[in-house]
Amino acid sequence: MASSEPQASKLRVVHVFRAPLGGLFRHVVDLAAEQSARGHEVGMFFDSEALCPRVEAALTRIPGGLKLGLATTPIRRNPGFGDLAAMARFAAYVRRVAPDVVHGHGSKGGLYARLSALACPTGALRAYTPHGGSFNYYPGTAVHRVYMLAERALAPLTDVFLFESAYIAGRFDAYVGARNGVRRIVANGIGPAEFAPVVANDDAADLLYVGELRAAKGIDTLLEAIARVGRARGLIPRAVLVGSGPDQARLAEQAQRLGVAPFVSFAGQTPAREAFKLGRVLVVPSRAESMPYVVLEAAGARVPMLATDVGGIPEIYGPYRDRLGPPDDPADLQARIEAMLTKSDAERQAEAAQLAAHVAERFSIQIMVNSVMTGYAEAAARRRRAIPAPAAAASPN
């Protein structure tokens, strides 16, 4: 697909974020790889303690490499005095590479990107993509209010907000309300190879979960629904949970308590397209999401799927959002699992093909990157309009 990028000139872009993990890291690598392929020079700054062979392998996807270099320093998840040292190192890196754009990803990356405008006022544009971040942190709590105050204070330092979903843009409006800077919705996208169908293994489980093992993902609701299906049908469906996270032990204990442990296996971390072969129906029982890649990837791979009506998931489903169910409702999920399992393979595949066609039209990497680059261009044009033209010199008499 040809680029329709608005910029004629080539840019120097620095991406800053805390940890190279999950969908945020995938988004940054996809964006940096396409920017580099279009001739822009790209650099990155993130937590040094997260650098590992997996991360290094992901960075090799960037054509020509990181021409502005890779800079790292210890960055903690929670705010602290360590941020002062990390911010100083980031400011020094920005001064050294002199980027045209500093693009912050996630709450911590957004903090560093925008504060660097004060620490080293080089004239670079400041872009911010929240990736959910602090906007998904327990609204109404004291910590959430503090985070939103910080977002409000940083908003005037932001040239362009690149929200990954209309849902997160709505949360920004509700809790921050700042209206300065260019605003765009830039949904995540997947590549052409990810629209090739994945066929489940012959011995695939009935149900599959792929993602982090933590409370926000609603896996406890899935386990309860599995137990309810077993009681209703006299046959407990087999499930495979793919991923890792802080709640694995608690979930294993819950499965044991519900009597479904022999039918639920924990498969550890596996690349998504390989994981999709392990189950016949993917279940995404999340309580909170922004624009989850696993839903896009499963849709592209034509994997039959059950998901919840939270965050940006309805934006992915579009005209098929009536297939979504509520979070935290084991009875509803039980009913939807039973309905899905009673359908024929042909029926499930027909529904999956419909969603795949919809996603292919709206959620490609090319569309994502074009929208980001348009956001940069609009912010640059807005800044130029805000700078008054120099007064003409008086003609000598």
Side-chain angles (χ1 to χ4, degrees):
M1 182 177 185
S3 165
S4 58
E5 182 180 323
Q7 269 102 344
S9 61
K10 300 308 177 183
L11 299 177
R12 296 166 64 84
V13 183
V14 164
H15 295 283
V16 53
F17 50 98
R18 185 186 69 84
L21 298 170
L24 183 153
F25 185 48
R26 156 140 194 194
H27 174 93
V28 174
V29 172
D30 285 348
L31 176 55
E34 183 61 23
Q35 287 174 331
S36 183
R38 297 182 185 190
H40 304 291
E41 296 183 336
V42 179
M44 288 187 191
F45 186 96
F46 57 78
D47 180 16
S48 57
E49 296 181 9
L51 196 59
C52 64
R54 172 190 63 82
V55 171
E56 292 169 349
L59 296 179
T60 63
R61 292 176 40 210
I62 300 171
L66 294 169
K67 293 183 179 178
L68 300 186
L70 169 63
T72 64
T73 194
I75 304 174
R76 298 288 177 262
R77 182 184 186 91
N78 294 321
F81 289 113
D83 286 315
L84 298 177
M87 184 67 233
R89 293 188 182 99
F90 179 60
Y93 167 64
V94 170
R95 281 193 293 269
R96 177 167 56 83
V97 302
D100 300 301
V101 180
V102 178
H103 192 155
H105 300 266
S107 299
K108 190 60 71 81
L111 175 71
Y112 286 20
R114 294 178 288 178
L115 283 183
S116 69
L118 303 177
C120 51
T122 60
L125 291 171
R126 265 64 185 188
Y128 175 41
T129 302
H131 297 280
S134 59
F135 292 97
N136 277 337
Y137 190 94
Y138 304 114
T141 63
V143 174
H144 181 261
R145 286 193 290 271
V146 170
Y147 285 158
M148 294 303 99
L149 285 173
E151 290 286 350
R152 199 169 299 131
L154 292 168
L157 301 176
T158 314
D159 293 292
V160 54
F161 295 92
L162 300 168
F163 298 110
E164 66 278 16
S165 65
Y167 169 75
I168 293 299
R171 286 217 155 187
F172 179 89
D173 290 339
Y175 296 114
V176 180
R179 284 292 176 176
N180 57 289
V182 172
R183 297 160 52 98
R184 291 186 68 83
I185 307 298
V186 180
N188 293 332
I190 57 177
E194 294 173 283
F195 287 99
V198 171
V199 178
N201 295 335
D202 291 340
D203 62 348
D206 301 297
L207 305 174
L208 171 68
Y209 168 84
V210 179
E212 290 183 273
L213 305 181
R214 60 186 178 91
K217 299 300 182 178
I219 310 161
D220 56 319
T221 304
L222 171 59
L223 294 177
E224 177 64 34
I226 289 171
R228 294 175 66 103
V229 171
R231 291 193 294 268
R233 303 178 69 190
L235 182 65
I236 299 173
R238 289 192 302 123
V240 176
L241 309 184
V242 176
S244 62
D247 291 339
Q248 180 167 337
R250 185 182 63 78
L251 293 167
E253 290 172 3
Q254 181 189 9
Q256 191 71 40
R257 186 173 67 254
L258 291 170
V260 300
F263 302 90
V264 177
S265 60
F266 292 84
Q269 291 183 303
T270 304
R273 288 183 65 83
E274 290 301 310
F276 293 155
K277 299 176 184 178
L278 303 179
R280 301 188 186 284
V281 176
L282 178 72
V283 184
V284 184
S286 299
R287 294 184 171 96
E289 290 288 356
S290 177
M291 181 59 66
Y293 270 105
V294 69
V295 174
L296 291 171
E297 291 166 337
R302 302 192 181 190
V303 175
M305 182 167 36
L306 295 171
T308 49
D309 190 359
V310 298
I313 296 178
E315 297 168 52
I316 297 174
Y317 269 68
Y320 307 110
R321 67 175 297 169
D322 61 339
R323 299 177 185 176
L324 301 173
D328 286 317
D329 192 335
D332 177 85
L333 185 54
Q334 170 200 352
R336 292 193 296 129
I337 288 173
E338 290 179 348
M340 183 68 86
L341 293 180
T342 57
K343 291 178 181 178
S344 67
D345 285 340
E347 288 177 301
R348 290 197 292 260
Q349 285 302 316
E351 290 183 358
Q354 289 175 329
L355 183 58
H358 169 73
V359 168
E361 289 180 1
R362 294 165 175 81
F363 297 93
S364 72
I365 289 176
Q366 289 284 348
I367 292 172
M368 178 185 84
V369 178
N370 287 344
S371 190
V372 168
M373 302 310 294
T374 298
Y376 292 170
E378 290 175 351
R382 177 171 177 157
R383 180 181 284 186
R384 286 193 297 270
R385 290 194 299 270
I387 299 174
S395 299
N397 292 324

